[in-house]
């Protein structure tokens, strides 16, 4: 997150109302968009679609693949749509200007739908109509208002609604409304009948071939023109203008500018009524002229306009570029590029950095997610689908997630383990073990280091256990030490800890000979650290003093050897002997050993004799 | 031109060794099988059939997981088709809602004793947000006598720290465990749909010897038996509270040297806990000793256990779920090891629940994003032994008889009789399912993908 990224704006949130000059804390955030609540739903939902898309890459081929891609694109659209609806609701509720830019963005997202399927010419216009209907959604509330009034045809918005329906090519709805007008106003009955007939007969290009459509269309068009020339609708300016629109009169359409609201709506209406057989390749030509006609001289195109224009030209790279510049986050560009890449519509476009554009954008987007307090889990899957650098990014990001509970640590750990990121697993476990150790939770700490197979740390903790034992004379966390199982072998010290505890247990159960054997083994096999030998030998004392003989002669010799090794091998012999207590201990041991030896020789002699 | 491009991309995709979440590498499945063998040999436990490590989830069918069973057993099984049909129906009954917060817990509000309707209100808690919330939802809008559409938010309230666990104390009060170590009782006022804090025990769980300021330790589990509330935490402490008392009734410090992950009531004075070194412990509050009255553990491997639930009618049957996704069934009357180990999910099993009124059904959810429905009831009527030994009757068994034999089903040791139908209720999920709850015919679950789901017809 530290890399100097230029494009996404960094948002600086001031540290309150401190006086100028005083020290402040600034919260610097990249990608402020991801903090918008409504967008979180978008991120989560589209994540699911994204994963579905990546899976299809692995499984499907040929026809079904194509169908699936279209389905994915549809899914994205419905996700966007849900999000837009949320936005509209939120915007209406709060009138937040910040949301405006968001709806602008989601608007442009609609271009999504044109791009992936430019190969099918026939239904192109229908798709454009769909798109417009989706994005100009004020009309629905207007319709509700009109229809809920007592006398719809007298409502001041009545003709507006009819016009909008006509402009969007929603003939059935327009006719339905008009019939209300006709029944309320019998004088215009004949006019209405003619218009209704025209609207009903309008050919639509979903079934027939292009030439057929062309013929039918011309026929219909001429009919409209004829009625206009005859002045059939002269007495009703509303109906006349509708008829003009039907006949493809661009000026009549432009008169409804405020109903059209945008130049691309105008474009679609214009195509619908004057060039219904438009081919995808001609689209940009009409788009350009529509924009010029609609915007006129006074305004220059906004970023969204340029994006759309590029989309109409099927200049995919241009679209992506414009979007990257105009939009404030990477969500749209990343998903669009990914989808296009899957459609194989994107020329492999090698950047002079990173691997390719898709990956670059996905990485940027996912990095943004990782900077969020809770969306980081989504980012993981995006990184997974970036072949070249995804893993490196993930490794760097995942280590920086704050781990405030063990459960969160477990989740992060699972992510790392699934991807065989051993280094990260170790580091997370170490962090958790350190935390537990600081909290004096030796048991937890040991569990974490066992999970990471971190021998050094396990040794450290075992030493803490042993130290505690030496100080207090009893073990803490017995439930853990008694159940080490195979993990005991992780480190020598841990093995010793486990075995030493076993010795205590045997001793407690009065299984002295087994205990003695284990004790001796701990020393002779050099499992016990030298510093602990003295304690072990002291532990042998009560065994030596038992009524019955426990150590055999051989074992006693070995014990003596251990004691001598300890006293002789000590480099700082002087210090050891200076210590009064230690000296006494050594002497007591020697005495006990000698007595034991005496007893055992006698006993063994007798046994052999008998 | 296009072809060439396509070729290029495809080539790239073949050569990449990218790790893919979801479908598991076959090695793991084998490794698990091996583990099975050892455990089964070392104990009286018998594995139910090793689950097929889920095939890549199929998109078409909602039922993508199925127990792999010996071919012989497959023949006479008629229950399966019904099962599949049911699965299909169930999917249509699921309504979902994205809630813009990661859900850590979801719980149905208990029904009044004599209620006949299905549950209609549930609560959820979030985790890992900057501001976490406790929310109460209605399952949908009431339309023509049925609930329709997505869950509707009734009310919510901010919560300090992650919601680690949550239980309804009664119809109105919800006990919530926090990652800050506090335990809070919220009251849901149903007349004006608001939530308020009723009682709070700050720092119910904490670390000793702490020089830093944040001494709280996460409270990982809570269980209620009105008016008693038992909590466990990362500090290995067990607290017994009463809803109306300010101080803890009983505290067992350092009850466990490792983290306690979950707790449930065994009987009124006894509780069960599971910890991060694979132990199941019984604690008896009547005893003054601060030690468990019994310890059970998985042999060898110290696989952490994350959840525990007790059979609602047969108190000696206990189910736990572990870090490796294994479901263990224990009979606490005998032995110290699980009766059966059932290889299940691919990652941590976060919750396990017997169906409260239909305990031959069990539900588990996991970090791997799946939610499994374990059903031991399906083929009881087809159990061959009845035909062989009974002889006198081939008619359907009465309901009580079915129940009788089903109880054994969880403890059944015979590997040749695999009698479980297992259905994955979420075929395509990728992020963790953190919590689930079942009540009557309804299932609710919440995920890390920030969505809550309600299934209203589990047994359609």
């Amino acid at each position: 997150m530290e890399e100097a990224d230029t494009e996404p704006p960094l948002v600086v949130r001031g540290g309150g109302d401190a006086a100028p000059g005083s020290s402040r804390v600034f919260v610097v955030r990249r990608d402020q968009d991801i903090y918008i609540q409504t967008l979180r739903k978008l991120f989560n939902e589209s994540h699911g679609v994204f994963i579905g898309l990546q899976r299809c890459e692995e499984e499907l081929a040929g026809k079904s693949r194509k169908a699936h891609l279209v389905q994915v694109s549809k899914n994205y659209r419905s996700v966007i749509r849900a999000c837009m609806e949320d936005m509209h609701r939120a915007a209406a509720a709060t009138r937040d200007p910040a949301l405006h830019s968001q709806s602008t963005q989601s608007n442009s997202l609609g271009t999504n739908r044109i791009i992936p399927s430019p190969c099918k010419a026939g239904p192109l216009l229908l798709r454009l109509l769909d798109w417009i209907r989706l994005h100009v959604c004020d009309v629905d509330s207007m319709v509700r208002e009109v229809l809920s009034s007592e006398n719809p045809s007298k409502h001041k918005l009545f003709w507006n609604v009819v016009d909008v329906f006509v402009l969007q090519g929603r003939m059935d709805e327009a006719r339905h409304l008009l019939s209300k007008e006709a029944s309320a106003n019998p004088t215009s009955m004949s006019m209405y009948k003619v218009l209704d007939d025209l609207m009903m007969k309008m050919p639509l290009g979903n079934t027939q071939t292009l030439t057929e459509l062309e013929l039918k269309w011309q026929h219909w068009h001429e009919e409209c023109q004829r009625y206009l020339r005859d002045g059939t609708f002269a007495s009703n300016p509303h109906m006349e203008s509708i008829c003009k629109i039907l006949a493809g009169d661009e000026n009549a359409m432009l008169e409804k500018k405020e109903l059209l609201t945008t130049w691309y709506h105008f474009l679609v209406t214009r195509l619908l009524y004057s060039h219904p057989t438009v081919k995808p390749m001609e689209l940009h030509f009409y788009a350009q002229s529509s924009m010029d006609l609609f915007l006129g001289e006074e305004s220059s195109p906004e970023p969204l306009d340029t994006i759309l224009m590029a989309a109409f030209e099927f200049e995919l790279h241009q679209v992506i570029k414009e979007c990257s510049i105009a939009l404030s986050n990477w969500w749209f560009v990343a998903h669009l590029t990914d989808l296009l890449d899957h459609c194989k519509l994107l020329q492999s476009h090698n950047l002079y950095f990173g691997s390719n554009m898709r990956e670059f954008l996905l990485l940027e987007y996912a990095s943004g997610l990782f900077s969020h307090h809770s969306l980081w889990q989504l980012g993981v899957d995006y990184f997974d689908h970036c072949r070249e650098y995804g893993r490196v990014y993930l490794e760097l990001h995942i280590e920086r997630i704050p781990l405030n509970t063990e459960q969160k640590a477990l989740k992060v750990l699972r992510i790392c383990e699934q991807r065989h990121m051993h280094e990260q697993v170790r580091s997370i476990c170490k962090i958790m073990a350190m935390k537990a150790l600081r909290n004096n939770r030796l048991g937890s700490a040991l569990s974490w280091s066992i999970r990471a197979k971190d021998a050094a740390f396990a040794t450290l903790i075992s030493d803490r256990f042993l130290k505690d034992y030496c100080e207090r004379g009893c073990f803490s966390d017995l439930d853990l030490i008694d159940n080490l199982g195979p993990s005991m072998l992780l480190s020598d010290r841990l093995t010793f800890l486990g075995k030493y505890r076993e010795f205590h247990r045997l001793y407690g159960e009065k299984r002295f000979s087994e205990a003695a054997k284990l004790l001796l083994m701990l020393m002779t096999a050099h499992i016990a650290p030298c510093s602990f030998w003295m304690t072990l030998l002291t532990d042998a004392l009560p065994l030596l003093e038992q009524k019955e003989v426990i150590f055999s002669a051989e074992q006693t010799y070995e014990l003596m050897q251990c004691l001598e090794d300890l006293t002789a091998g000590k480099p700082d012999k002087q210090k050891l002997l200076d210590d009064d207590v230690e000296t006494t201990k050594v002497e007591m041991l020697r005495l006990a050993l000698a007595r034991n030896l005496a007893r055992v020789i006698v006993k063994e002699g007798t046994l052999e004799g008998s | 031109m296009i072809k060439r491009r396509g070729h290029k991309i495809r080539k790239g995709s073949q050569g990449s060794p990218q790790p893919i979440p979801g479908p598991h590498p076959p090695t793991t499945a084998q490794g698990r099988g091996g583990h099975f063998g050892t455990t089964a040999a070392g104990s009286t436990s018998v594995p139910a059939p090793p689950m097929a490590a889920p095939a890549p989830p199929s998109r078409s069918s909602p039922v993508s997981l199925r127990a792999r069973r010996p071919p012989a057993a497959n023949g006479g099984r008629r229950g399966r088709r019904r099962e599949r049909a049911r699965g299909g129906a169930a999917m249509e009954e699921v309504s979902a809602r994205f809630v813009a917060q990661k859900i850590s817990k979801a719980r149905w509000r208990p029904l009044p004793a004599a209620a006949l309707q299905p549950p209609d209100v549930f609560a959820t808690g979030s985790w890992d947000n900057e501001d976490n919330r406790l929310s109460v939802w209605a399952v949908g809008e009431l339309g023509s006598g049925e609930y329709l559409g997505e869950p509707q938010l009734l009310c919510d309230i901010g919560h300090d720290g992650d919601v680690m666990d949550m239980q309804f104390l009664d119809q109105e009060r919800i006990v919530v465990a926090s990652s800050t170590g506090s335990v809070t009782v919220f009251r849901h006022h149903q007349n004006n749909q608001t939530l308020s804090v009723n009682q709070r025990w700050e720092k119910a769980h904490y670390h000793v010897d702490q020089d830093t300021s944040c001494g709280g330790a996460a409270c990982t589990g809570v269980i209620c038996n009105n008016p008693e509330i038992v909590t466990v935490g990362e500090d290995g402490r067990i607290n017994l509270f009463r809803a109306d008392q300010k101080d803890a009734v009983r505290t067992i410090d350092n009850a466990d040297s490792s983290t306690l992950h979950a707790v449930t009531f065994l009987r009124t004075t006894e509780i069960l806990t599971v910890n991060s070194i694979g132990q199941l412990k019984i604690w008896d509050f009547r005893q003054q000793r601060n030690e468990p009255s019994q310890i059970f553990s998985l042999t060898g491997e110290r696989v952490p256990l994350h959840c525990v639930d007790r059979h609602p009618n047969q108190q000696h049957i206990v189910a736990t779920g572990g870090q490796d996704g294994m479901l263990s069934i224990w009979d606490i009357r005998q032995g110290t090891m699980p009766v059966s180990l059932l290889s299940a999910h691919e990652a941590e099993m976060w919750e396990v629940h017997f169906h409260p009124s239909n305990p031959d059904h069990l539900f588990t959810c996991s970090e791997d994003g799946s939610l499994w429905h374990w059903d031991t009831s399906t083929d009881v009527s087809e159990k061959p032994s009845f035909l062989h030994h009974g002889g006198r009757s081939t008619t359907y068994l009465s309901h009580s008889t079915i129940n009788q034999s089903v109880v054994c089903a969880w403890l059944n040791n015979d590997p040749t009789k695999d009698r479980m139908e297992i259905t994955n209720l979420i075929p395509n999920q990728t992020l963790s399912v953190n919590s689930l709850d079942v009540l009557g015919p309804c299932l609710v679950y919440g995920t890390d993908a920030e969505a809550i789901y309600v299934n209203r017809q589990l047994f359609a």
Side-chain angles (χ1 to χ4, degrees):
Chain A
M1 257 145 284
E2 287 84 3
E3 68 249 80
D5 234 304
T6 47
E7 272 178 278
L10 290 170
V11 174
V12 179
R13 296 202 167 168
D17 27 291
S22 69
S23 56
R24 298 181 186 188
V25 176
F26 287 98
V27 180
V28 182
R29 284 177 161 176
R30 203 174 93 151
D31 273 351
Q32 84 279 23
D33 281 354
I34 59 174
Y35 292 92
I36 298 173
Q37 284 288 308
T38 36
L39 281 188
R40 269 179 83 161
K41 295 178 193 176
L42 176 75
F43 295 144
N44 274 295
E45 227 173 329
S46 55
H47 166 260
V49 182
F50 174 82
I51 296 297
L53 176 59
Q54 313 303 316
R55 280 192 189 143
C56 105
E57 178 76 347
E58 293 148 23
E59 290 164 18
L60 303 171
K63 261 253 154 58
S64 59
R65 195 188 125 95
K66 190 163 177 180
H68 187 254
L69 284 172
V70 174
Q71 187 56 44
V72 166
S73 146
K74 273 188 190 145
N75 288 348
Y76 274 133
R77 253 175 273 146
S78 66
V79 171
I80 292 165
R81 179 166 191 169
C83 175
M84 272 169 67
E85 280 168 4
D86 267 2
M87 290 279 193
H88 284 307
R89 231 172 295 150
T94 59
R95 295 264 151 236
D96 187 349
L99 286 175
H100 173 72
S101 62
Q102 291 312 311
S103 30
T104 316
Q105 162 175 0
S106 37
N107 244 337
S108 70
L109 307 185
T111 50
N112 213 344
R113 70 184 308 146
I114 321 170
I115 298 161
S117 44
C119 33
K120 294 184 243 157
L124 171 68
L125 191 59
L126 294 181
R127 271 206 297 277
L128 283 171
L129 282 172
D130 266 1
W131 171 57
I132 282 298
R133 280 167 205 169
L134 181 68
H135 293 285
V136 186
C137 39
D138 308 339
V139 65
D140 293 324
S141 61
M142 250 154 64
V143 173
R144 262 195 301 279
E145 199 184 317
V146 169
L147 285 180
S148 61
S149 70
E150 272 176 34
N151 193 348
S153 62
K154 292 286 178 291
H155 196 278
K156 63 180 185 321
L157 290 175
F158 176 78
W159 284 106
N160 279 359
V161 176
V162 177
D163 284 343
V164 170
F165 280 143
V166 172
L167 290 171
Q168 294 190 6
R170 292 155 81 169
M171 284 306 166
D172 291 338
E173 283 149 294
R175 282 172 54 207
H176 177 73
L177 271 181
L178 276 177
S179 70
K180 288 204 184 324
E181 155 76 3
S183 54
N185 196 356
T187 49
S188 60
M189 199 58 176
S190 61
M191 265 193 295
Y192 160 73
K193 278 227 169 94
V194 175
L195 190 60
D196 187 58
D197 194 43
L198 275 180
M199 285 163 84
M200 191 183 65
K201 279 197 292 191
M202 180 172 128
L204 276 173
N206 39 6
T207 49
Q208 59 269 72
T209 61
L210 273 187
T211 29
E212 246 177 359
L213 178 69
E214 186 106 47
L215 269 173
K216 278 192 187 164
W217 186 269
Q218 265 169 14
H219 190 74
W220 182 74
H221 223 219
E222 275 161 21
E223 205 176 336
C224 293
Q225 301 276 8
R226 197 169 59 244
Y227 282 119
L228 274 182
R229 271 199 307 277
D230 296 350
T232 316
F233 304 110
S235 63
N236 189 330
H238 292 299
M239 289 203 191
E240 188 171 29
S241 82
I242 289 174
C243 188
K244 272 185 184 164
I245 291 171
L246 293 185
D249 185 337
E250 283 167 13
N251 290 328
M253 291 179 206
L254 280 174
E255 274 169 29
K256 309 282 179 205
K257 210 169 183 172
E258 63 275 18
L259 293 180
L260 288 168
T261 61
T262 54
W263 65 266
Y264 41 91
H265 193 341
F266 172 60
L267 163 72
V268 176
T269 310
R270 183 175 164 215
L271 290 176
L272 176 66
Y273 293 111
S274 10
H275 313 278
T277 55
V278 65
K279 292 182 185 63
M281 292 309 136
E282 303 160 354
L283 201 56
H284 74 274
F285 165 72
Y286 291 112
Q288 189 64 53
S289 64
S290 299
M291 190 163 89
D292 292 346
L293 274 174
F294 192 84
L295 294 179
E297 304 293 294
E298 72 264 39
S299 62
S300 57
E302 284 181 29
L304 175 62
D305 300 332
T306 37
I307 295 171
L308 280 175
M309 196 52 79
F312 287 134
E313 287 168 22
F314 300 110
E315 277 287 345
L316 300 180
H317 287 113
Q318 191 65 25
V319 173
I320 292 166
K321 188 177 148 197
E322 298 284 350
C323 289
S324 308
I325 295 169
L327 306 176
S328 54
N329 67 46
W330 293 107
W331 180 86
F332 177 61
V333 222
H335 284 90
L336 176 68
T337 314
D338 177 59
L339 183 60
L340 290 174
D341 188 73
H342 280 277
C343 297
K344 313 237 186 317
L345 286 171
L346 215 55
Q347 266 150 8
S348 56
H349 181 89
N350 282 321
L351 303 174
Y352 56 90
F353 52 89
S355 64
N356 61 28
M357 188 151 70
R358 169 186 172 273
E359 181 159 329
F360 170 76
L361 293 170
L362 285 178
L363 288 174
E364 281 300 311
Y365 173 61
S367 303
L369 290 178
F370 256 91
S371 71
H372 188 272
H373 194 266
S374 43
L375 288 173
W376 54 271
Q377 270 174 308
L378 301 180
V380 175
D381 284 318
Y382 286 95
F383 281 141
D384 278 348
H385 292 286
C386 295
R387 272 160 222 140
E388 209 146 331
Y389 294 103
R391 191 180 164 98
V392 187
Y393 268 65
L394 182 60
E395 283 173 359
L396 290 175
H397 275 117
I398 203 110
E399 283 187 324
R400 285 162 176 75
I401 292 174
L403 305 169
N404 40 357
T405 65
E406 287 193 5
Q407 192 173 20
K408 188 167 178 184
L410 288 173
K411 280 178 185 264
V412 177
L413 212 53
R414 175 60 63 179
I415 289 169
C416 296
E417 280 177 354
Q418 273 170 348
R419 289 157 185 80
H420 308 287
M421 290 157 53
H422 303 296
E423 200 48 50
Q424 282 68 30
V425 169
R426 276 174 58 98
S427 108
I428 290 165
C429 287
K430 197 154 210 162
I431 291 168
M432 296 312 289
M434 249 350 253
K435 265 189 186 171
L437 198 62
R438 263 212 317 269
N439 291 330
N440 239 350
R441 303 274 306 145
L442 294 184
S444 276
L446 191 55
S447 293
W448 282 109
S449 50
I450 288 171
R451 176 151 185 184
K453 302 205 169 39
D454 187 341
F457 209 76
T459 304
L460 185 88
I461 297 165
S462 311
D463 279 342
R464 276 279 297 264
F465 270 118
L466 292 172
K467 204 179 110 211
D468 278 6
Y469 168 74
C470 290
E471 282 167 9
R472 286 189 280 168
C474 66
F475 279 107
S476 57
D477 302 326
L478 283 180
D479 54 344
L480 176 78
I481 303 172
D482 282 343
N483 284 289
L484 284 172
S487 54
M488 195 193 281
L489 302 174
L490 179 61
S491 92
D492 288 350
R493 202 57 48 82
L494 194 57
T495 317
F496 171 65
L497 177 65
K499 287 289 170 196
Y500 186 51
R501 163 63 195 153
E502 199 178 320
F503 162 73
H504 273 253
R505 214 181 54 229
L506 291 173
Y507 187 84
E509 291 166 7
K510 300 214 187 308
R511 290 153 70 184
F512 293 129
S513 63
E514 282 165 78
K517 216 168 137 192
L518 182 63
L519 187 70
L520 196 59
M521 190 268 284
L522 284 177
M523 282 184 284
T524 49
H526 290 277
I527 297 169
C530 280
S531 59
F532 217 77
W533 279 32
M534 201 57 205
T535 320
L536 292 179
L537 286 169
T538 322
D539 282 335
L541 258 181
L543 289 172
L544 293 168
E545 303 282 316
Q546 289 287 326
K547 266 207 186 86
E548 54 181 312
V549 184
I550 294 159
F551 286 100
S552 68
E554 204 174 322
Q555 283 175 325
T556 318
Y557 288 131
E558 279 179 53
L559 270 181
M560 290 166 120
Q561 165 110 45
C562 290
L563 183 61
E564 288 318 305
D565 281 356
L566 189 63
T567 44
K570 203 84 176 177
D572 206 355
K573 204 177 188 177
Q574 207 55 40
K575 197 184 161 200
L576 183 76
L577 292 175
D578 278 348
D579 195 331
D580 229 19
V581 183
E582 290 293 307
T583 327
T584 330
K585 253 189 204 171
V586 172
E587 267 163 20
M588 275 173 67
L589 267 170
R590 287 202 172 118
L591 184 63
L593 283 167
R595 271 164 47 182
N596 189 66
L597 192 59
R599 285 198 297 164
V600 82
I601 288 170
V602 172
K603 188 188 167 203
E604 278 173 11
T606 348
L607 274 179
E608 272 161 37
S610 63
Chain B
M1 179 73 173
I2 289 171
K3 229 175 201 166
R4 197 166 55 84
R5 250 189 283 131
H7 179 65
K8 223 177 193 172
I9 290 167
R10 191 165 300 149
K11 203 173 153 196
S13 79
Q14 276 172 351
S16 70
Q18 56 182 359
I20 298 146
H24 228 71
T27 48
T28 317
Q30 274 166 14
R32 188 170 280 165
H35 172 62
F36 242 122
T38 55
T39 331
S43 69
T44 55
S45 74
V46 167
M51 283 327 103
S58 73
R59 206 157 278 114
S60 54
S61 150
V63 187
S64 69
L65 287 168
R66 210 144 279 285
R68 187 193 297 149
R69 45 177 66 81
N74 256 339
R77 196 170 288 261
R78 247 151 291 151
R80 295 185 83 191
R81 183 169 296 155
R82 191 182 69 84
E83 176 83 4
R84 186 167 293 150
R86 184 181 68 67
M91 285 309 284
E92 289 160 23
E93 289 302 322
V94 176
S95 56
R97 177 167 175 152
F98 283 88
V99 291
Q101 49 187 349
K102 292 201 274 195
I103 298 297
S104 59
K105 287 291 157 188
R107 294 283 178 260
W108 288 113
R109 184 175 73 189
L111 293 167
L116 290 173
Q117 329 76 321
D120 53 356
V121 172
F122 62 93
T124 61
S126 75
W127 78 285
D128 203 25
N129 277 321
E130 275 171 310
D131 52 331
N132 288 295
R133 307 198 77 77
L134 169 73
S135 316
V136 178
W137 308 81
V139 290
E141 278 154 359
L142 195 60
S144 68
E146 270 184 15
Y147 285 98
L148 303 164
E150 56 183 27
Q152 299 294 315
L153 181 67
L154 293 177
C155 51
D156 63 352
I157 190 168
H159 180 259
D160 193 18
D162 295 348
V163 172
M164 301 292 289
D165 200 1
M166 181 166 74
Q167 295 289 336
F168 272 89
L169 185 66
D170 52 27
Q171 291 271 102
E172 283 192 328
R173 287 179 292 175
I174 310 165
V175 187
V176 181
S178 162
S179 61
T180 62
S182 64
V183 178
T184 315
V185 182
F186 290 94
R187 183 181 285 277
H188 175 214
H189 304 276
Q190 290 173 40
N191 37 10
N192 57 358
Q193 294 301 352
T194 53
L195 279 164
S196 64
V197 175
N198 181 244
Q199 166 83 285
R200 173 171 288 159
W201 295 280
E202 296 283 357
K203 296 260 164 73
H205 292 271
Y206 58 93
H207 289 301
V208 283
D209 283 4
Q210 178 82 11
D211 4 56
T212 50
S213 59
C214 50
C219 174
T220 51
V222 59
I223 189 77
C224 306
N225 186 5
N226 198 5
E228 285 174 338
I229 300 164
V230 176
T231 65
V232 295
E234 279 181 16
D235 55 355
R237 189 172 276 116
I238 300 177
N239 285 313
L240 173 65
F241 297 107
R242 277 176 159 276
D244 45 5
Q245 286 180 18
K246 240 180 132 29
D247 295 312
V249 178
R250 174 98 184 259
T251 297
I252 305 178
D253 283 326
N254 221 5
D256 202 309
S257 56
S258 47
T259 298
L260 287 170
H261 280 144
V263 60
T264 193
F265 269 104
L266 181 63
R267 295 178 197 96
T268 42
T269 57
E270 283 174 291
I271 55 161
L272 287 166
T273 62
V274 289
N275 68 12
S276 65
I277 53 171
Q279 292 171 327
L280 173 71
K281 297 183 180 176
I282 302 181
W283 304 81
D284 191 340
F285 284 123
R286 287 169 302 190
Q287 293 179 2
Q288 286 310 306
R289 287 187 317 138
N290 287 342
E291 269 162 37
S293 53
Q294 234 179 323
I295 301 181
F296 302 84
S297 61
L298 297 167
T299 44
E301 319 258 327
R302 304 160 63 254
V303 182
L305 295 174
H306 286 293
C307 49
V308 58
D309 196 24
R310 189 207 65 196
H311 194 287
N313 308 334
Q314 305 280 311
Q315 295 184 334
H316 57 276
I317 302 175
V318 171
T320 62
Q323 180 151 292
D324 52 357
M326 190 90 75
L327 173 70
S328 322
I329 307 285
W330 313 67
D331 182 347
I332 57 166
R333 294 172 306 186
Q334 50 190 347
T336 58
M337 283 177 293
V339 174
S340 46
L341 288 171
L342 301 154
S343 182
H345 300 281
E346 321 231 305
E348 286 87 350
M349 185 188 289
W350 291 128
E351 282 194 20
V352 56
H353 289 279
F354 284 102
H355 191 284
S357 54
N358 212 348
D360 34 331
H361 295 267
L362 183 98
F363 297 84
T364 60
C365 64
S366 158
E367 175 74 18
D368 67 3
S370 56
L371 193 160
W372 287 16
H373 175 184
W374 307 68
D375 181 358
T376 52
S377 69
T378 44
D379 52 352
V380 168
S381 56
E382 293 170 17
K383 212 166 72 172
S385 62
F386 276 92
L387 301 177
H388 294 315
H389 301 294
R392 33 182 203 278
S393 165
T394 51
T395 54
Y396 281 98
L397 302 159
S398 76
H399 190 72
S400 61
T401 333
I402 288 176
N403 254 347
Q404 200 64 53
S405 45
V406 155
V407 171
C408 314
W410 291 116
L411 297 178
N412 183 22
N413 287 347
D414 193 343
T416 56
K417 283 188 217 142
D418 67 302
R419 313 156 70 205
M420 245 175 250
E421 288 282 352
I422 296 143
T423 320
N424 182 5
L425 298 178
I426 320 172
N428 269 328
Q429 184 79 34
T430 53
L431 290 181
S432 168
V433 183
N434 291 324
S435 181
L436 73 95
D437 198 16
V438 276
L439 187 60
C442 299
L443 164 75
V444 60
Y445 58 95
T447 69
D448 271 346
E450 306 191 346
I452 47 178
Y453 298 81
V454 176
N455 183 340
R456 284 187 220 104
Q457 296 205 321
L458 269 181
F459 309 106

